[in-house]
Every structure is written in structure tokens, then in C-alpha cells.
Amino acid sequence: MVQRVGRCIQQAACSFRRAGVPDPEQSALQLMLSAHGLSRRSELELDRELDPSVLREWETMCARRRNREPVQYIVGEWDFHDLTLSCKPPVLIPRPETEQLVELILENVAQNENTKHTPAYRLLDVGSGTGAIGLALLAKLGNGSECVGIDSSEEACLLSRQNRDRVQLPPASTYSAVHSSINKYQDQSGSGFDFVVSNPPYIPHKARAELQPEVLASAQGAVVHAGHGWLVDCR
């Protein structure tokens, strides 16, 4: 039987819906784009027959999504504030509201910036994860700004360094990842930070039973297990 792109997307969306997958149509579309190595829907040829190799990969990806694995982990990357970042477990996936946090910081910087001179900023990203916040800010701030990202997960530090090498930062801007918790970190520079940023997984342990499987999958090993929430790390 001929398997065409458009029909496969429709069938996958129906199967996702039956499995209780959120946003089934969007999930199906994102997986199909990834299977073809594309980034925009307009690039898909809906009447095109799927190659056997692409079809096998597509079916594997759909099976993972029906098991409620997050799309970001399946495709291995996700767009965040004009950057494409690698995503893989157990590192937490950047949340949509994290982009709003970046916007708020940039607005604050713009309001307080000397219009005659753009200074270099130094920032600390607590619980850096993929490096999304720090890298997005560096991409906008430019002019030799520096971000130190700290995370209690070695996997997160490794991934944020990989994302640093993947994106193109402005000249002289630097990003470093330090494996440390907030209460153990010591800044050796002596120059301090202009601002500290963080958007931790602030879901208390008792709320885990109410979470969607995708959220639980992306929160394994994170501070969500701390019993009373992320503030345990700050006490």
C-alpha cells in the first residue's frame, strides 16, 4: 500500500488522539518534518510517497510519541528564541514561559542601558539545563557578555556546552557550564554578576500524580523530586 506524507500525518494524528497525546496534529507534523530533515511545513510535499527508510523512521518515532515521549526528545532538538538547541533526556526541555523570561530580561536591559555605550554583561544562570536562557541572552546582548551556567546535573552541563558550540555567539561572548548546586557554587572572578536568572522546575513532589506523562518524562532526576519543590536547593 502506498504511504503518502499527508495521509500518514492524518493517520498519526488520529492514533495520537486515541492515545491521549496533547496537540496530536502538531506532534504528527513535527515528527514528519524531522523524518525528512525539514524545518517548515511549506517544504513538505503532502502527495509524495514516503521512502522505505523514511517510513521506518517515521513509524518508530510515532510509536515513541504514542508512549508519551516528548517530541523534543524524539527529534533531538527544538527551537528556542531564534536558536535551535539539542534536547535529550534527562536534561529538562525548555518551557514556553522560559522564552517570556528571556524577553523580560532583555526589556529590562534595554530600559536601563546607556544609549551611548552598550556594556558587556555578566550573568549567572542557575539550573541552566540545555543552556537555553544563557545562550539566548548572549545572542542578543553581544559585545563580550559572559554567562556562567550552573547545574547539579553533569548531563545538563555537557549538553549546554554542546549547544554553546552549536550556536553562533557574538564575538568575544563566552558561555561556561559549571557542575554545581547553587548553595555550593563559588564565583572565583571577584567581579560578581549583573543579574541572576533561573526558571527551575518548580512543581512540588505532591503534584507529580497530576502531571502529563510528557512532563514526567522530562522531569526525571530534576528538583521536582526534592519533596518540597526547587526552593530546597536554595535553603
Side-chain angles (χ1 to χ4, degrees), residues 82 128 161:
D82 300 327
S128 52
R161 294 186 194 108

Side-chain angles (χ1 to χ4, degrees), residues 166-186:
R166 175 175 183 168
V167 304
Q168 187 173 359
L169 293 177
S173 295
T174 60
Y175 179 93
S176 59
V178 179
H179 179 219
S180 175
S181 61
I182 181 62
N183 55 350
K184 293 182 179 179
Y185 173 71
Q186 293 184 341

